Each structure stands twice: as C-alpha cells, then as structure tokens.
Amino acid sequence: MRIPNSIVLALGKRLCQQGSIPEPKLELEPVYGGDINLSFIAHTSNTPLFIKLNRNKPSDFFAAEHDGLKAIQQLQAVRCPSPLLCTQIENWHCLVMEYIPLKEHGLHGKLGQKLAFFHQKSTHSLKPYGFDKDNYIGGTVQQNECLPRWGDFWIERRIQPQLHRAINKGYKALLTLKTPTINAIKTALSDHQPAPCLLHGDLWSGNKAFDQNGEPVIFDPACYIGDREADIAMTELFGGFNADFYSAYSRIWALDKGYVNRKNIYNLYHLLNHVNLFGEGYLTSTMECMESIMACKPA
C-alpha cells in the first residue's frame, strides 16, 4: 500500500523536530513479511530508520510496543531496536525505531546467555505479576492488571480471557475441557511462586534474529512481569531455537525440574490465541494441550 505523501512529510518533520534526523526528508522502502502492520526502511540524510504504520489497530497498539521495547532496553542485557517515536498523523498510527540489519542465523548460544541475564537482571526491582498497562499479543489485547499470586495471574489474566474469547467465537468443543483444565492449572501452580521477571512475552522464532556480527536481537515484545519459564516454553512451541540456546541459558540460570510439567500450561495461552486469531486449524493441537495438562502428574 502506498502511504500518502502528506503522512510521510509530517512524520519526517516530527522526527526532525525531536532530533532523530537532521532533515525532514524520508524515502520509504517497503519491508515485506509481517501480517499486522505496514513496515518500511526509511532512508534519511544520515541513518536509516525502521517504521511501522497502521490505521486499523487501536490508538494504543504501537504505544504498547514502544513501552515494551523501552522496558527491555533499560535492562541493557539483550539488544532490541531502540524506539524513537510513537505518534499519530491523521488516521495513521506510526512507530519509528532504530533500524538494525538482521539475518536469520547467528550466535544462538549468545542469545540463550543474554536472555538468561535479561531474566536474572530484571528480578531485582520488579513488583507482583503483571504490567502497568494492558498491551497486545499479536492482535489480541493482553490483560496485565497485577496480581500477587502467579497461579491466579495466569488463570485470570491469560487462560480464562482466551478461553472465553474462543468459546464466544463458536469453538464449543472447548467447553467440556474448560473447567477441568483450569482446575488442573490451579493445582499445578498452587505452590509455584517464581521470581518475578520481565518477559519478552511473545518469544517465538520470528521475533528474534541476529545483527550482521551474529549478535542476538529480540523485537515485537508483549512484555509483562511473570515466570521466566513462560518465555522459554514459547521458544519450544514452534521451534527455531537450537541446543546451543538452551544449554547456554541453563549455564546461567537452570530451570526448575517442574518446568517440564508447566510448559504446556504456558503454551496453552499461545495456542488459544492462535485459535482466536487464525481459526480452527489450531483447535486440535489446543485441545491436545489441554488434555495433556489434565493428565499431568506433579513432578
């Protein structure tokens, strides 16, 4: 889609006014691959920038991503693109950030190491589970109102909202599994009070890459404070993270033995979200996950 020249000119002026670029001129080069936003490399008179534009999402959609990137950046443990500007021009929402040339492969062990440091470093100053505002997991609102007990947070802010949404969309097969699955999660998490960590929140392989030196970069966060195991569990859900990643993470901060029983509980959230976003192609794997949770015995 072609962006109106008036929007490009206005965005250039705002970036120039805040000092991100010396001149207001922008030349946009489309970047393909995402399914939510329009993305561009913006060529300027000094350094390229990365720009996302959308006019279909809520006004706080990019603000949530901006806040997540800021939160990750402040810990200085793992690199993410530096957010520069979040603004609205007419009916277009715009997020501008540092442009980092990326490649698919790099130092996977370094990624595991840096993610462990990121989780470890964030435990020193964080409050109960949640975040200061709601944000988005893909295109779905992610509820983040804080709760003091992790099991309550996971059920009330993660699993129940997704289940309600899916059932209301017509996936009635989930009704019979709903109550026994929630009861099994309550039992599994009843005594589990993990160290509150800042999480990326949507750490699948498409949200990590490597710079031109092979150093890891993470992006497109859905941040909140929670159990670090939820980040690790999602890395296993769709693949794309190799053995070097897991061994390096474990050398810094090994996972508790109960993780093997909890990872399905954490990945159920993402499977339900995929049902809600993409349809019944994910329904069978979601129901299988729920059945595994119900059948699981404590470690």
Side-chain angles (χ1 to χ4, degrees), residues 159-258:
I159 300 302
Q160 285 182 336
Q162 293 281 9
L163 273 172
H164 291 162
R165 188 174 291 110
I167 290 167
N168 288 338
K169 280 177 174 280
Y171 299 110
K172 303 302 183 184
L174 298 173
L175 270 172
T176 57
L177 299 177
K178 176 185 172 183
T179 298
T181 298
I182 288 174
N183 288 339
I185 293 172
K186 283 180 181 177
T187 299
L189 298 183
S190 61
D191 296 322
H192 186 56
Q193 279 289 98
C197 298
L198 181 67
L199 307 185
H200 176 282
D202 194 12
L203 195 58
W204 70 291
S205 61
N207 288 342
K208 62 99 171 106
F210 303 88
D211 68 17
Q212 296 305 297
N213 295 317
E215 292 291 325
V217 182
I218 59 175
F219 41 88
D220 292 351
C223 288
Y224 63 98
I225 297 163
D227 184 357
R228 66 195 176 103
E229 292 179 355
D231 265 355
I232 300 301
M234 194 180 189
T235 67
E236 294 195 57
L237 184 57
F238 301 119
F241 294 77
N242 67 20
D244 290 344
F245 167 82
Y246 296 105
S247 60
Y249 187 98
S250 294
R251 284 195 295 271
I252 304 299
W253 195 3
L255 297 174
D256 182 273
K257 67 178 183 179

Side-chain angles (χ1 to χ4, degrees), residues 34 70 110 152 181 189 235 265 282:
K70 275 289 188 187
K110 185 72 75 69
D152 294 341
T181 298
L189 298 183
T235 67
I265 291 172
Y282 287 93

